[in-house]
Amino acid sequence: MKRVLWAVTMFSALVVLLSACGGGGGTTTPPVGKTISGVAAAGAPIIGSVTIKDSKGIEKTVTIAADGKYTVNVGELGLIAPYMVRADGYVGGNEYHLYSAATSADEGGTINITPLTDLIVANIANTIASDYFNSGNFSTLTATELTTEATALRTKLLPVLQAVGVSDSIDLLRASFSTNHTGLDAALDVLRVETTDTTTGAATITNIITNQQIASNDASVLTDTTGVATGVSDIQAISAGFSQFSALFATSLPSETNATLLGLFDTSTFLMEGQNFASFLTQMTTDKSMIGISFTNISLVAGTAEMTDGKMTRVQVAFDAVQNGAVLNDGPKPFWMIKKADGKWYMQGDQLIAHVKVEAVAEYRTSNNNNSIVTGLRLNIEDRGGKGVTSAVVTGAGLPAGGVTLTNNIAFDYFSLNTQSGDNLYVMDDSAIGGIADTGELYTVKLYTGTALSATYTETLKKRPYLSTQLTA
């Protein structure tokens, strides 16, 4: 991010002097050059943007840096405290919209945007943070309210915070931290917040190492810290392994015999969309599009940790694939990692027996007789590893009650819909699309070999299809 710091004129210096007399909350006019900075993260840096909204409804948007840091010049447009702040973007391929807040006392200081700050705002507003932001009813927000709620949340999380080496007095809203899997970032690695009541903003807080859960709106505390400290060390080790992998592809392709590359994988159990390790190895060491790619922003997938004697032995991790500075949202699915007897973590791939993906697609189709726009779901299934999968049934929102069936179409190298010969785009009308959630809709994919069920997977739709009324040629 580039920021321009203007020289302070005598007039603006006078404004600084006057504003220094203001209190911690309330409505004040910040001087030109005043900033609010922090980190936007959810187990890893958020790749996207930050929007700040002032007490009069004026908004300003800036880009989040690769390390999660952002800076907003609140004086540039004459923004007036208090402020609401929103981070929009992706972590590990998942979409996030997280909120935070600040008062005039925070100008020139740090305000983070994390699942924890989102919860702090929700507790103050007694509703979900997005409603508080959108309503604009935060003009009376005070520094005391923010501090009180931040302290209350810290109390609920204190055992976990202590287990990862965070100070007992940490300010979850304002503490400076780096997205390097230490300190507060380590706490964000092992904590997950999920809203359970969109009216009151109440949520469930989960320690994904121990799977202990507490409610955000009572006096419960996350007391179980079994394996948390070693879990954080494991996350750091896993992240280092992905860094090694990325370094091998930074400027060229490594050879198939590269010892460092081979040492990152559990070659006997590896499976990637049906491909065994030998096939995957040949592909990635000969594909020139892999040059310059990096796998970063490593985060644990909640509910996947397998434990032995209170320590993680296997876990699924999400990550972002970045190429030429841009995130590949169509990048690999989360990898399974296994910890072997030598104490090291090894990649096992996605462990799927076939390529499976559900995505929103719109097409403008032309022919001699007709030009038309179609919109719907691309049901992309491929038996890339030659496992003998013959058909698939996909069920979920917008599809018929019994789902839709696809058959392995050898001629096209992908499964095609039985009702649409040679195609895998399930065309939908606006009524069907209207029944799909805007983000995060789940679809079940069942794979069959003959009549026998071979595997069942769940696919998350990132965005619903466009309505036909939203599209033009």
Side-chain angles (χ1 to χ4, degrees), residues 8 57 63 114 130 153 165 194 198 206 214 218 240 245 262 265 321 349 355 362 384 393 397 400 441 450 458:
V8 179
T63 301
T114 70
S130 59
L153 181 57
E194 183 178 2
T198 56
T206 303
I214 61 172
D218 61 24
F245 181 88
L262 296 176
F265 294 88
H355 170 73
R384 293 181 175 177
V393 176
E441 192 72 74
T458 299

Side-chain angles (χ1 to χ4, degrees), residues 254-313:
S255 72
E256 287 193 21
T257 58
N258 185 288
T260 300
L261 179 63
L262 296 176
L264 296 172
F265 294 88
D266 187 26
T267 58
S268 62
T269 63
F270 184 90
L271 195 62
M272 186 67 184
E273 297 182 327
Q275 292 180 301
N276 61 20
F277 181 71
S279 177
F280 180 75
L281 178 65
T282 298
Q283 179 180 324
M284 68 177 173
T285 54
T286 57
D287 183 358
K288 291 185 178 180
S289 69
M290 287 286 293
I291 298 175
I293 199 167
S294 64
F295 298 112
T296 186
N297 297 352
I298 312 303
S299 61
L300 300 189
V301 177
T304 65
E306 298 175 9
M307 311 288 288
T308 300
D309 297 328
K311 297 179 180 180
M312 285 196 303
T313 55

Side-chain angles (χ1 to χ4, degrees), residues 8-32:
V8 179
T9 64
M10 291 184 64
F11 174 76
S12 62
L14 177 60
V15 176
V16 172
L17 180 61
L18 293 175
S19 65
C21 299
T27 300
T28 61
T29 303
V32 174

Side-chain angles (χ1 to χ4, degrees), residues 423-456:
D423 198 358
N424 61 4
L425 174 57
Y426 183 78
V427 178
M428 309 171 77
D429 59 27
D430 285 359
S431 176
I433 294 173
I436 301 175
D438 184 56
T439 62
E441 192 72 74
L442 299 180
Y443 289 83
T444 300
V445 181
K446 293 186 176 182
L447 304 180
Y448 292 87
T449 302
T451 59
L453 179 64
S454 299
T456 300

Side-chain angles (χ1 to χ4, degrees), residues 41-45 91 96 114-116 157 160-161 164 166 177-193 206-210 228-239 296-305 312 315-318:
V91 173
Y96 281 86
T114 70
L116 303 183
L157 307 178
V160 172
L161 297 176
V164 300
V166 173
F177 74 99
S178 298
T179 50
N180 59 2
H181 305 294
T182 64
L184 181 55
D185 191 51
L188 294 173
D189 282 334
V190 302
L191 296 172
R192 295 291 183 272
V193 178
T206 303
N207 175 344
I208 66 172
I209 302 295
T210 65
V228 169
T230 54
V232 168
S233 296
D234 287 331
I235 295 170
Q236 293 168 351
I238 291 170
S239 182
T296 186
N297 297 352
I298 312 303
S299 61
L300 300 189
V301 177
T304 65
M312 285 196 303
V315 69
Q316 194 177 39
V317 297

Side-chain angles (χ1 to χ4, degrees), residues 6 113 115 136 169 218 227 278 315 324 457:
W6 297 101
I113 313 170
S169 60
D218 61 24
V315 69
N324 298 322
Y457 300 127

